[in-house]
Amino acid sequence: MAAQETVDHKYVYDFAEGNKDLKDLLGGKGANLAEMTNLGLPVPPGFTITTEACKAYLATGRQPDGLAEQIEAHLESLEREMGRKLGDPNDPLLVSVRSGAKFSMPGMMETVLNVGLNDRSVVGLSAQAGGNDRFAWDSYRRLIQMFGKTVCDVPGEEFEHAIDDAKRAKGTNNDLDLDADDLRGLVDAYKKIFAKHTGREFPQEPREQLDLAIRAVFDSWNAERAVVYRRQERIPADLGTAVNVVAMVFGNLGADSGTGVAFTRDPGSGAQGIYGDYLANAQGEDVVAGIRNTVPLQELERIDKKSYDELLGYMARLEEHYKDLCDIEFTIERGKLWMLQTRVGKRTAAAAFVIAGQLVDEGLIDLNEALHRVNGAQLAQLMFPRFQLDHEFEAVAKGIGASPGAAVGKVVFTSDRAVELAAEGEAVILVRRETNPDDLNGMIAAKGILTSRGGKTSHAAVVARGMGKTCVSGADELDVNVPAKKFTVGGHTVNEGDVVSIDGTTGKVYLGEVPVMPSEVVQYFEGELDAERTDDPLVRAVHRIMTHADAARRLRVRTNADTGADAARARRFGAEGIGLCRTEHMFLGERRELVERLILAATEAEREQALAALLPLQREDFVEIFREMDGLPVTVRLIDPPLHEFLPPLEQLAVNVAVAQERGEDVAKEEALLAAVRRMHEENPMLGLRGVRLGLVIPGLFAMQVRAIAEAAVTVVRAGGAACPEIMVPLVGAVQELETVRTEAEKIIAEVIGDSGVEVLIGTMIEVPRAALTAGQIAEAAQFFSFGTNDLTQMGWGFSRDDVEGAFFWRYLELGIFGISPFESIDRDGVGRLVRIAAEEGRAARPGLKLGVCGEHGGDPDSVHFFHEVGLDYVSCSPFRVPVARLEAGRAAVTTTGSDSR
Ligand code: ADP
Ligand code: MG
Ligand code: MG
């Protein structure tokens, strides 16, 4: 009975039965092939085996009941339609077997062309092609090669070596010079390779070829590289892949045949026009493999005007239909055009904005949809400084753009040398084969990092991204010789001290100094480029979309800024307040001495003296910031880090004291300092005496800061300005801590503000897991919460932020334990859950409680969406991230009818 039921389950869809919205079931490739078929475009007939069949196969290790029969039935109707039978010795039907998951996973899964060829049907194929033996044997050797590699794991190089040998024997390096006899010989060589690696002969039975190829595509879903890729990209592991079986059409039938790719707009700039490549007398995989030079698509007009015009017509139809840039694969078989694939095409960041703007102009999409066609990561990319490139500069190598930016500096090969030269004020680029945790200091000191090995999850890439430092990884043309302090590339030798320029966005490496300039988009945000006047299409598109995002968003966007200058820039970038003004830098420089006096104070009088000296300095700091923000809210965090950070390091102090004692100098002060540093030394300073704990232990410290804030506000208001201070207590874990601070603070505030009309809010950070879990209690004493997601991540995961990125994050990323560092993008399930609990319980206890987030997550696109969902009032981030947060807050607020684009 059960068997009967599963037989009824539909596992195979003819192209005429599907459509573009069935990506879950048919995969992206299959859904779009069906869509084109139904639009009446010339797609070779075929059918799609569903992702459900794949899932069933992977779960049980065998094809589900009914699948074999359904494949058989669809194959028969395909054979009827084509008037040919799979593998028929006289007049064979050939098919391609193509993988295609819901999300494109480039290079992860593969395709086999020309299934159905064997020792007998190769003759029939030649006859079909009017006695074209060369074509038939070329097709056969391709089948053995692709089948061997994809289905039977034969190392691909072996086939490549064999074809290279054949070309060498012929004295050519063009595969077109191989004639039918050469290719027949190559088929023999390939079969031997196949037999050697698989222990069996190449399968001659066409149905067996087809079944093995289908299984191989199913199995490729669980290949290790696919598993890791999915973990990193957060693509669910249980989607499975569809399999498309498509009647072959042939671009390798001669000069009147060929194959190509096309884009409906320039995926680089977004400009309208015709972009693509064409390769005559070739099968599809040759274009990607780059074994022969393609010609620009425009030349097809000269080669085959009829097909060219037809193709242009289809491209226009597809754009109109998908309402977006499409990319297309096509093949021409003896003057007849066939469409083999389409999808909404990938594009650069600049093109994404420009195209979204164009489509609005063309009336194809509305502004809400345009907002969804771009994203904050793209905007961030467009804000990095860039090289001013003209013809003088040509890249000598291209690696992986691992961490964006443009960096110029002198080459160094060791971490120590990087630190030395940087200390002398030099900009340096650290060049290594690959980096490891020992290179950390050098990486910190360098302007940029360049490696010859490793991908986007290599140590260099991960650490550089964490530090926001420009990095090009895996530039494998570089031959790096660390002991000799040089590298060579394309005939150039670069020695230590020579200048290079690296572009962490494109991965390109230049010799010498390429001038750097701020991007147009930053010039626009700075107000230096007028979007209404410029004819730069990118700036116009960014302006238009940002304006719409601002109108749409519910989240406010504030900035993290500690100085008037930062505050001013952030306002130009659109910040609507300061969400985090740190006060610790205000204790550095010449004020260090006052802090030392505070720490060393032996009597209450001495301590009060030190605080009294700090008070006017702090007040001035706040006056400047309040003036700059002109009545926008400013959240000031009371001092957070452990006090010993303001003192000299223990080792250095100990040496100084010992040396001075040896010389018989008076070291009373240094000894006292040393004793204090020893006393305050902590094994785990991150979990030690800091934040509110410090405020409760050092009498008068928080009080001084509160007084400085209140007095500054009053000063600004009395001078006719406006000030809106919010005092934020860090590291609170229990409501009692906050109550103690608050009682004291309220007394001071009442006394200072008098009748000035200034209003000061008192709230807390939620950054200790216990605070999140007792938020209901804490809200009784807090007028606002600001989530400190950096510490919340650190304490939630138990990751010491300063250590883990260099120590093992690269490994976690490589294994796919997370796809992105939880310090970069909020961990929704764990740390995010703490945020959600605290937001809900805080608001339940105090309706209308103001909620915000500070820390770099406030400028991370995915995190912004999460904070929108949780219902926070604002996010706060560094000035350069403010536009990104504005854009993403707009995207989070707007829902669209859904387009096909992502
Ligand atoms: P990928 O996803 O890697 O592009 P495809 O399944 O699209 O893999 O196929 C690889 C190449 O083979 C492409 O260039 C495609 O156009 C070509 N191809 C696929 N099926 C056929 C077919 N039935 N006839 C001719 N060429 C095909
Ligand atoms: Mg393709
Ligand atoms: Mg913190």
Side-chain angles (χ1 to χ4, degrees), residues 41 94 98 168 171 262 272 430 457 565 570 592 808 853:
L41 270 48
L94 305 186
R98 314 167 68 183
R168 206 170 305 119
Q272 279 125 321
L430 178 63
T457 59
R592 239 178 224 280
F808 63 83
V853 65

Side-chain angles (χ1 to χ4, degrees), residues 29 98 329 341 343:
K29 200 178 284 170
R98 314 167 68 183
E329 290 175 5
Q341 189 173 335
R343 69 186 153 202

Side-chain angles (χ1 to χ4, degrees), residues 29 44 96 98-99 109 111 113 246-249 259 284-285 288 329 331 340-341:
K29 200 178 284 170
S96 62
R98 314 167 68 183
S99 60
M109 293 178 304
T111 288
L113 302 181
V246 190
M248 281 302 300
V249 293
T259 184
E285 79 273 15
V288 203
E329 290 175 5
T331 280
L340 290 175
Q341 189 173 335

Side-chain angles (χ1 to χ4, degrees), residues 512-843:
E513 179 181 344
V514 181
V516 175
M517 60 180 226
S519 74
E520 309 92 299
V521 171
V522 165
Q523 292 176 39
Y524 154 68
F525 286 129
E526 287 281 8
E528 291 157 12
L529 254 181
D530 182 349
E532 310 287 343
R533 301 244 175 87
T534 175
D535 49 12
D536 184 327
L538 174 59
V539 170
R540 289 217 317 272
V542 168
H543 173 68
R544 189 162 182 198
I545 292 171
M546 290 303 291
T547 307
H548 188 63
D550 284 338
R553 69 190 156 89
R554 187 186 55 67
L555 275 175
R556 306 277 94 195
V557 177
R558 298 195 193 179
T559 191
N560 302 348
D562 316 339
T563 64
D566 273 358
R569 156 168 277 162
R571 277 196 73 183
R572 292 197 297 278
F573 282 13
E576 300 161 290
I578 292 181
L580 175 62
C581 173
R582 299 180 176 90
T583 52
E584 33 277 12
H585 84 107
M586 299 172 179
F587 292 86
L588 299 175
E590 57 212 40
R591 300 180 191 178
R592 239 178 224 280
E593 200 245 334
L594 288 174
V595 180
E596 284 183 18
R597 266 169 48 196
L598 175 69
I599 296 171
L600 297 179
T603 65
E604 202 168 317
E606 276 174 25
R607 192 183 58 241
E608 275 170 14
Q609 233 181 5
L611 287 169
L614 280 165
L615 175 66
L617 302 173
Q618 282 262 278
R619 189 171 54 220
E620 269 321 296
D621 297 329
F622 297 131
V623 165
E624 189 192 338
I625 289 169
F626 291 152
R627 282 219 176 99
E628 209 57 75
M629 294 313 282
D630 196 23
L632 295 174
V634 176
T635 308
V636 181
R637 180 179 70 186
L638 301 180
I639 189 164
D640 180 33
L643 271 191
H644 67 74
E645 284 197 8
F646 301 96
L647 299 177
L650 179 65
E651 296 79 14
Q652 186 197 324
L653 209 54
V655 172
N656 291 355
V657 169
V659 170
Q661 275 169 340
E662 195 70 16
R663 292 204 195 113
E665 291 166 19
D666 174 20
V667 288
K669 188 174 161 244
E670 281 73 13
E671 275 175 345
L673 205 52
L674 181 59
V677 173
R678 285 230 167 87
R679 184 160 25 87
M680 287 194 284
H681 177 77
E682 294 173 323
E683 290 300 333
N684 285 308
M686 282 293 186
L687 303 178
L689 181 60
R690 51 178 284 227
V692 66
R693 304 158 194 173
L694 198 61
L696 295 176
V697 167
I698 311 260
L701 179 58
F702 274 10
M704 182 276 290
Q705 291 199 292
V706 169
R707 184 175 294 279
I709 293 165
E711 289 183 359
V714 170
T715 305
V716 170
V717 168
R718 290 247 148 89
C724 197
E726 302 176 338
I727 293 177
M728 179 157 82
V729 184
L731 227 70
V732 165
V735 66
Q736 293 86 347
E737 293 171 311
L738 182 61
E739 277 167 347
T740 309
V741 173
R742 185 177 159 177
T743 308
E744 189 188 10
E746 277 176 338
K747 227 181 288 158
I748 298 167
I749 292 168
E751 179 193 314
V752 174
I753 59 174
D755 59 358
S756 62
V758 170
E759 202 196 335
V760 184
L761 300 186
I762 300 177
T764 183
M765 294 198 66
I766 301 289
E767 55 184 340
V768 175
R770 188 181 189 283
L773 298 174
T774 59
Q777 296 169 12
I778 292 176
E780 306 280 351
Q783 289 173 287
F784 64 87
F785 284 174
S786 175
F787 291 95
T789 51
N790 293 343
D791 263 306
L792 205 54
T793 300
Q794 173 160 266
M795 294 187 226
W797 279 88
F799 284 161
S800 159
R801 183 166 197 211
D802 297 329
D803 300 319
V804 289
E805 293 198 327
F808 63 83
F809 266 26
W810 59 275
R811 181 66 181 143
Y812 271 44
L813 287 159
E814 199 173 71
L815 290 170
I817 291 171
F818 31 68
I820 184 167
S821 155
F823 288 111
E824 222 175 298
S825 190
I826 192 142
D827 151 38
R828 288 176 174 237
D829 299 341
V831 178
R833 178 131 194 267
L834 289 170
V835 172
R836 204 185 274 279
I837 291 170
E840 279 165 13
E841 297 186 3
R843 282 214 170 121

